Amino acid sequence: MNPHRPGRTALAPALLTVTALLALSACGTSEADSGTGAASTVTVRIPDPGNSGVLAVGKKDGSLDKALGKAGAKVEWTGSAGPFAPAAQAMNADQLDFATGSITSGVTSLAQRPGFKFFTAVDPDATGEGILVRNGSGIDSVAGLVGKKVAVNQGGTGEYLLLKALAKAGIPADQVERVYLRPDQTAAVFNAGKVDAWAVWATYAVAEIGSGKAHFVADGAAIGSDNYSLNAVRTGFADKHPEIVKALYQYLHDASVREKKDPAAYLNVFTDVGPTAVSGKALEAQTAIIAKGGTVDPIGPEDIERFEAVAAFYAEQKVTKGQVDVAAHLLDIEKLT
């Protein structure tokens, strides 16, 4: 988080992510809940992190297993990093213990009888998310989106960013056509000109910006985004193994501090070639985004106010049927024992 912010105090009770979870090999009850005895090692099921980030480094060098081993746990990498919605479903079905997502996708997932709680927050990304347009599109402001087609992921970050941008500009949402697409399917549609813009976050934006063919017409700062990144843990796991959740938090916090200081060390972790690698201007863009970003910290009162603002906005925009009670699904990491 921003080191210059006032001291943060985590609140009592009241996410890096997953795509192909239907084919998870570890289904049903995890070893974590099997009741095999205190001496046994607890398995923590975490989405495979891919080629970048603190979890990728933790997987490669074994540092995450080493950190969790002190709390009697080990990692089972399962599924793959992707949108939060399927990860939330997997946690609800006891097929996953941990995942990362945004407060925007978190709010819609919390509206579905959630079996998970959030326990950390990373400040909204002011520079890596926004409304992407192709160079030469003629769209030079949010107002230029009127009558256009904009690709968004339904109920997640993309839809939030578009609706938030339109609201700030005083433009009725129905004056822009939302095209609902999975983010991993959108680049081809966007580059083929089948949509006029793409509301998107850094995971997908850096490749487009790095190509030199697209830019943000409005980024997170201009939009006034409250789109925090959050880490979630399955409720049953947290109830049974709070010490492991606390160890996982500490690892993520410490590693995120190091990542912010040396972003390049957390990119192209396993390979610097192929579709998962970043290079050239995309690498420069991603490095700058990480350096300007936040760190993994406990959830404080000021964060919850902004979470609630997102939930209220979603209810107002009829993305959810009513306002979701986010605070009921938060853990105070500093009070876990």
Side-chain angles (χ1 to χ4, degrees), residues 5-224:
R5 290 174 64 172
R8 303 166 57 94
T9 303
L11 287 194
L15 292 174
L16 350 186
T17 51
V18 184
T19 48
L21 289 167
L22 296 179
L24 285 173
S25 58
C27 295
T29 303
S30 72
E31 184 177 344
D33 296 334
S34 62
T36 54
S40 64
T41 300
V42 176
T43 297
V44 188
R45 297 166 297 180
I46 299 177
D48 188 279
N51 196 33
S52 64
V54 299
L55 290 178
V57 171
K59 178 183 179 182
K60 183 178 182 181
D61 65 12
S63 58
L64 180 56
D65 262 330
K66 183 177 180 180
L68 295 185
K70 296 177 181 178
K74 66 178 181 179
V75 177
E76 177 184 324
W77 301 105
T78 183
S80 58
F84 181 69
Q89 293 172 359
M91 285 187 286
N92 293 346
D94 189 16
Q95 296 174 336
L96 194 68
D97 300 310
F98 167 87
T100 301
S102 63
I103 184 57
T104 49
S105 58
V107 166
T108 50
S109 294
L110 286 174
Q112 309 294 321
R113 292 187 178 180
F116 61 89
K117 291 187 176 181
F118 294 112
F119 66 100
T120 74
V122 179
D123 282 341
D125 184 356
T127 60
E129 65 179 16
I131 312 297
L132 199 67
V133 297
R134 293 182 300 279
N135 295 347
S137 68
I139 301 172
D140 56 11
S141 68
V142 173
L145 298 173
V146 172
K148 305 295 186 182
K149 296 180 179 179
V150 182
V152 302
N153 60 314
Q154 187 171 13
T157 293
E159 188 162 29
Y160 169 79
L161 291 171
L162 175 61
L163 292 173
K164 188 78 171 175
L166 294 175
K168 187 172 183 180
I171 299 169
D174 61 5
Q175 291 191 16
V176 176
E177 182 179 346
R178 277 170 271 176
V179 179
Y180 293 124
L181 293 169
R182 277 179 22 196
D184 59 347
Q185 297 176 331
T186 306
V189 177
F190 174 73
N191 287 306
K194 295 180 180 179
V195 293
D196 302 291
W198 182 6
V200 66
W201 60 102
T203 302
Y204 302 96
V206 290
E208 304 306 320
I209 294 171
S211 72
K213 298 179 181 179
H215 64 279
F216 283 136
V217 71
D219 62 13
I223 292 169

Side-chain angles (χ1 to χ4, degrees), residues 306-331:
R306 295 173 73 178
F307 296 172
E308 291 174 342
V310 173
F313 181 73
Y314 262 20
E316 175 189 322
Q317 295 290 325
K318 303 188 185 309
V319 176
T320 56
K321 292 182 179 180
Q323 183 168 341
V324 174
D325 183 4
V326 179
H329 303 283
L330 304 177
L331 286 180

Side-chain angles (χ1 to χ4, degrees), residues 218-310:
D219 62 13
I223 292 169
S225 171
D226 282 322
N227 188 35
Y228 281 76
S229 174
L230 307 175
N231 286 305
V233 62
R234 185 170 58 83
T235 303
F237 186 94
D239 289 344
K240 193 163 187 176
H241 304 290
E243 72 287 353
I244 297 174
V245 178
K246 197 162 186 175
L248 179 56
Y249 159 73
Q250 195 63 56
Y251 180 87
L252 293 170
H253 169 76
D254 294 347
S256 70
V257 172
R258 294 191 295 270
E259 181 186 33
K260 185 175 172 67
K261 293 178 179 177
D262 184 17
Y266 293 81
L267 298 171
N268 298 332
V269 174
F270 290 97
T271 179
D272 57 7
V273 296
T276 64
V278 288
S279 60
K281 291 184 179 180
L283 179 60
E284 293 175 12
Q286 183 69 76
T287 300
I289 289 168
I290 295 172
K292 294 176 183 177
T295 56
V296 174
D297 284 302
I299 298 169
E302 69 281 12
D303 305 316
I304 296 178
E305 288 181 8
R306 295 173 73 178
F307 296 172
E308 291 174 342
V310 173

